Short mmCIF file of all heavy atoms in Angstrom, two decimals:
data_model
loop_
_atom_site.label_atom_id
_atom_site.label_comp_id
_atom_site.label_asym_id
_atom_site.label_seq_id
_atom_site.Cartn_x
_atom_site.Cartn_y
_atom_site.Cartn_z
N PHE I 227 3.82 24.15 -33.79
CA PHE I 227 3.09 24.23 -35.04
C PHE I 227 3.92 24.70 -36.15
O PHE I 227 4.75 25.70 -36.18
CB PHE I 227 1.87 25.19 -34.93
CG PHE I 227 1.04 25.41 -36.06
CD1 PHE I 227 0.19 24.34 -36.46
CD2 PHE I 227 1.04 26.49 -36.75
CE1 PHE I 227 -0.62 24.47 -37.46
CE2 PHE I 227 0.20 26.73 -37.88
CZ PHE I 227 -0.65 25.71 -38.27
N LEU I 228 3.94 23.89 -37.28
CA LEU I 228 4.69 24.02 -38.38
C LEU I 228 6.07 24.28 -38.11
O LEU I 228 6.85 25.25 -38.62
CB LEU I 228 4.18 25.32 -39.26
CG LEU I 228 2.80 25.24 -39.71
CD1 LEU I 228 2.30 26.47 -40.44
CD2 LEU I 228 2.68 24.14 -40.73
N GLY I 229 6.68 23.49 -37.18
CA GLY I 229 8.14 23.51 -36.89
C GLY I 229 8.41 24.62 -35.84
O GLY I 229 9.69 24.78 -35.54
N MET I 230 7.56 25.35 -35.44
CA MET I 230 7.81 26.47 -34.49
C MET I 230 7.17 26.18 -33.07
O MET I 230 6.22 25.51 -32.97
CB MET I 230 7.25 27.82 -34.93
CG MET I 230 7.82 28.33 -36.11
SD MET I 230 7.20 29.94 -36.64
CE MET I 230 5.45 29.40 -36.90
N GLY I 231 7.97 26.56 -32.03
CA GLY I 231 7.59 26.23 -30.70
C GLY I 231 7.70 24.79 -30.30
O GLY I 231 7.08 24.46 -29.10
N GLU I 232 8.46 23.89 -30.88
CA GLU I 232 8.50 22.58 -30.46
C GLU I 232 9.51 22.45 -29.35
O GLU I 232 10.39 23.34 -29.15
CB GLU I 232 9.04 21.70 -31.58
CG GLU I 232 8.14 21.58 -32.84
CD GLU I 232 8.76 20.82 -33.95
OE1 GLU I 232 9.98 20.88 -34.24
OE2 GLU I 232 8.03 20.17 -34.61
N LYS I 233 9.33 21.51 -28.42
CA LYS I 233 10.22 21.20 -27.40
C LYS I 233 10.90 19.82 -27.54
O LYS I 233 10.15 18.91 -27.91
CB LYS I 233 9.33 21.15 -26.04
CG LYS I 233 10.11 21.01 -24.77
CD LYS I 233 9.32 21.09 -23.59
CE LYS I 233 10.02 20.94 -22.21
NZ LYS I 233 9.12 21.13 -21.09
N GLU I 234 12.09 19.78 -27.25
CA GLU I 234 12.91 18.68 -27.44
C GLU I 234 12.92 17.83 -26.18
O GLU I 234 13.46 18.44 -25.06
CB GLU I 234 14.30 18.96 -27.99
CG GLU I 234 14.36 19.52 -29.42
CD GLU I 234 15.78 19.63 -29.91
OE1 GLU I 234 16.78 19.81 -29.03
OE2 GLU I 234 16.03 19.74 -31.17
N ILE I 235 12.59 16.58 -26.19
CA ILE I 235 12.68 15.75 -25.08
C ILE I 235 13.57 14.48 -25.38
O ILE I 235 13.22 13.78 -26.45
CB ILE I 235 11.32 15.26 -24.67
CG1 ILE I 235 10.25 16.51 -24.45
CG2 ILE I 235 11.32 14.50 -23.40
CD1 ILE I 235 10.74 17.45 -23.30
N ALA I 236 14.44 14.15 -24.57
CA ALA I 236 15.33 12.97 -24.81
C ALA I 236 14.84 11.92 -23.98
O ALA I 236 14.66 11.99 -22.73
CB ALA I 236 16.78 13.38 -24.43
N VAL I 237 14.58 10.73 -24.62
CA VAL I 237 14.29 9.51 -23.89
C VAL I 237 15.18 8.33 -24.31
O VAL I 237 15.84 8.37 -25.38
CB VAL I 237 12.72 9.19 -24.35
CG1 VAL I 237 11.86 10.22 -23.89
CG2 VAL I 237 12.70 8.85 -25.80
N THR I 238 15.23 7.43 -23.38
CA THR I 238 16.04 6.31 -23.71
C THR I 238 15.36 5.36 -24.71
O THR I 238 14.10 5.27 -24.80
CB THR I 238 16.38 5.58 -22.42
OG1 THR I 238 15.11 4.99 -21.83
CG2 THR I 238 16.99 6.32 -21.40
N MET I 239 16.14 4.60 -25.46
CA MET I 239 15.60 3.59 -26.36
C MET I 239 14.75 2.58 -25.54
O MET I 239 13.73 1.98 -26.20
CB MET I 239 16.58 2.96 -27.12
CG MET I 239 17.61 4.12 -27.91
SD MET I 239 16.61 5.22 -29.01
CE MET I 239 15.86 4.15 -30.16
N GLU I 240 15.04 2.21 -24.35
CA GLU I 240 14.38 1.24 -23.67
C GLU I 240 12.94 1.65 -23.42
O GLU I 240 12.01 0.88 -22.98
CB GLU I 240 14.98 0.93 -22.34
CG GLU I 240 16.32 0.14 -22.47
CD GLU I 240 17.41 1.02 -22.93
OE1 GLU I 240 17.30 2.25 -22.82
OE2 GLU I 240 18.49 0.45 -23.29
N GLU I 241 12.60 2.95 -23.51
CA GLU I 241 11.22 3.45 -23.33
C GLU I 241 10.33 3.47 -24.43
O GLU I 241 9.12 3.77 -24.38
CB GLU I 241 11.37 4.91 -22.66
CG GLU I 241 11.97 4.96 -21.40
CD GLU I 241 12.17 6.33 -20.99
OE1 GLU I 241 13.23 7.10 -21.21
OE2 GLU I 241 11.33 7.03 -20.15
N LEU I 242 10.86 3.08 -25.60
CA LEU I 242 10.18 3.06 -26.79
C LEU I 242 9.91 1.69 -27.44
O LEU I 242 10.70 0.74 -27.18
CB LEU I 242 11.03 3.88 -27.86
CG LEU I 242 11.62 5.20 -27.55
CD1 LEU I 242 12.40 5.84 -28.64
CD2 LEU I 242 10.38 6.17 -27.29
N THR I 243 8.87 1.62 -28.09
CA THR I 243 8.43 0.49 -28.91
C THR I 243 8.51 0.86 -30.39
O THR I 243 7.71 1.82 -30.73
CB THR I 243 7.11 -0.13 -28.64
OG1 THR I 243 7.05 -0.53 -27.20
CG2 THR I 243 6.74 -1.32 -29.50
N ILE I 244 9.27 0.18 -31.16
CA ILE I 244 9.32 0.54 -32.53
C ILE I 244 8.78 -0.53 -33.53
O ILE I 244 8.95 -1.71 -33.38
CB ILE I 244 10.91 0.63 -32.94
CG1 ILE I 244 11.55 1.68 -32.09
CG2 ILE I 244 11.05 1.17 -34.44
CD1 ILE I 244 13.16 1.67 -32.25
N MET I 245 7.78 -0.02 -34.45
CA MET I 245 7.06 -0.96 -35.28
C MET I 245 7.47 -0.58 -36.65
O MET I 245 7.68 0.63 -37.05
CB MET I 245 5.47 -0.69 -35.05
CG MET I 245 5.09 -0.80 -33.53
SD MET I 245 5.26 -2.54 -32.83
CE MET I 245 3.90 -3.31 -33.73
N GLN I 246 7.25 -1.58 -37.66
CA GLN I 246 7.63 -1.27 -38.95
C GLN I 246 6.70 -1.99 -39.91
O GLN I 246 6.33 -3.13 -39.61
CB GLN I 246 9.11 -1.72 -39.27
CG GLN I 246 9.68 -1.37 -40.70
CD GLN I 246 11.04 -1.89 -40.90
OE1 GLN I 246 11.43 -2.95 -40.41
NE2 GLN I 246 11.78 -1.23 -41.61
#
Side-chain angles (χ1 to χ4, degrees):
F227 180 71
L228 297 177
M230 297 183 294
E232 294 175 327
K233 185 174 182 179
E234 292 186 336
I235 308 298
V237 299
T238 64
M239 301 309 295
E240 290 77 13
E241 297 173 273
L242 305 176
T243 296
I244 305 172
M245 309 291 288
Q246 185 182 35

